[in-house]
Amino acid sequence: MRQRTKRILFGYSLLIFAFFYVPIIILMMFSFNDSKIGTVWTGFTFDWYVKLFSNTQMFGALQNSLYIAVITTVLATILGTMAALVFHRYNFPGKKAIDFLFYIPVVIPDIVVAVALLAIYGFLDMTLGLITAIPGHVAISISFVMFVVLARLAGLDDSLEEAAKDLGANEWQTFWRITFPLIFPGVLAGALLAFTISIDEFVISFFTTGPGSNTLPVLVYSMVRLGVSPEINALSTIMILLIVIAVLFTGRKMISPNKKGEE
């Protein structure tokens, strides 16, 4: 009975992995397809990668997305980490109510945030552009960073901070030399999550960026309406490879200090 259960779980796991990764593998394969039709294989070619690197419009949109994502990541990581430290360490009036407010961006539809921001910008008579997209991205990213850092803080041994203070370290020295190195994996994980959310965000970007300020998801959406171009497959393949490399590099950096500490 136990062996049968293991086989069922193993088969179920294979189906889940296939559901997630087979479409990605197919997408990467068809980025080398010689045909413009994404469902018919006619031969192997690198032409779509050559055309992609000469597509200034797509690279301009990618630059806009990276610009927004980097600023969003920095702001959301700083504010989310500070919020996590406050909620972990202090008790104050209205703490539960404020804590509840941080859950709202996680469950609220992006369209609500987008329309609300658009209404505010219209009331303030602001010109839409890349800058007007950043507040929305930060608003939906802070909560995710805070929850990840809070999970890391939950396993933090407070006696280490107390020992540092007993040895003469002040609050600032204790934070940078003891607390921050210990919670850094959580901060880094939150930053990566904020970056991923921002660069992938479509709805808020669609509503809050002005003409000529397209982000990559908005541009891809406009291109897909006319048919999926193999250039999109090529761009997706490059982004997948870069993300895999970044995750492996980050994971190695996060694991290495722990191994050294164990030794």
Side-chain angles (χ1 to χ4, degrees):
M1 183 68 182
R2 188 174 182 181
Q3 191 68 23
R4 183 182 177 184
T5 303
K6 286 184 177 180
R7 290 177 181 176
I8 294 174
L9 291 176
F10 180 74
Y12 179 76
S13 300
L14 286 179
L15 289 175
I16 295 297
F17 280 113
F19 177 78
F20 280 112
Y21 292 108
V22 168
I24 295 177
I25 294 173
I26 294 175
L27 178 146
M28 297 175 70
M29 289 175 55
F30 275 95
S31 69
F32 300 99
N33 186 14
D34 192 32
S35 173
K36 290 184 178 181
I37 302 176
T39 57
V40 179
W41 181 270
T42 59
F44 187 88
T45 183
F46 285 103
D47 290 347
W48 302 116
Y49 288 88
V50 175
K51 293 181 179 180
L52 172 65
F53 284 104
S54 61
N55 190 331
T56 56
Q57 184 183 20
M58 188 169 292
F59 272 92
L62 177 60
Q63 184 178 1
N64 291 340
S65 291
L66 291 174
Y67 172 78
I68 295 173
V70 169
I71 296 178
T72 298
T73 301
V74 173
L75 293 177
T77 302
I78 293 174
L79 296 175
T81 302
M82 292 173 63
L85 289 169
V86 169
F87 278 100
H88 177 73
R89 291 182 172 180
Y90 305 106
N91 291 316
F92 50 87
K95 179 179 179 179
K96 290 185 178 180
I98 298 175
D99 186 32
F100 175 75
L101 292 177
F102 276 96
Y103 280 92
I104 294 179
V106 177
V107 298
I108 194 172
D110 292 350
I111 186 67
V112 176
V113 179
V115 173
L117 285 173
L118 186 62
I120 292 173
Y121 294 150
F123 177 76
L124 298 176
D125 196 23
M126 294 179 62
T127 302
L128 299 181
L130 296 179
I131 299 297
T132 53
I134 293 175
H137 286 228
V138 173
I140 64 173
S141 301
I142 288 179
S143 297
F144 290 95
V145 176
M146 188 189 80
F147 295 144
V148 173
V149 177
L150 271 175
R152 183 68 180 180
L153 285 168
L156 184 65
D157 188 358
D158 295 335
S159 63
L160 296 174
E161 294 180 325
E162 295 174 0
K165 294 176 182 178
D166 290 340
L167 293 172
N170 57 33
E171 293 286 345
W172 191 252
Q173 291 172 328
T174 301
F175 175 78
W176 285 111
R177 295 187 180 183
I178 304 297
T179 308
F180 185 75
L182 291 174
I183 67 172
F184 178 73
V187 175
L188 181 59
L192 291 174
L193 184 58
F195 182 85
T196 302
I197 292 172
S198 177
I199 204 167
D200 187 52
E201 179 57 44
F202 167 74
V203 177
I204 293 177
S205 299
F206 184 79
F207 277 83
T208 58
T209 54
S213 301
N214 279 342
T215 60
L216 188 60
V218 175
L219 178 63
V220 170
Y221 170 74
S222 64
M223 295 173 64
V224 168
R225 287 186 301 173
L226 303 176
V228 179
S229 170
E231 290 182 50
I232 298 176
N233 295 340
L235 177 62
S236 300
T237 300
I238 293 174
M239 292 183 68
I240 291 170
L241 293 176
L242 290 176
I243 290 171
V244 170
I245 293 172
V247 170
L248 291 176
F249 178 79
T250 303
R252 186 175 180 182
K253 288 292 184 181
M254 292 172 64
I255 293 173
S256 296
N258 293 334
K259 287 186 175 181
K260 292 179 180 179
E262 291 174 0
E263 294 174 357

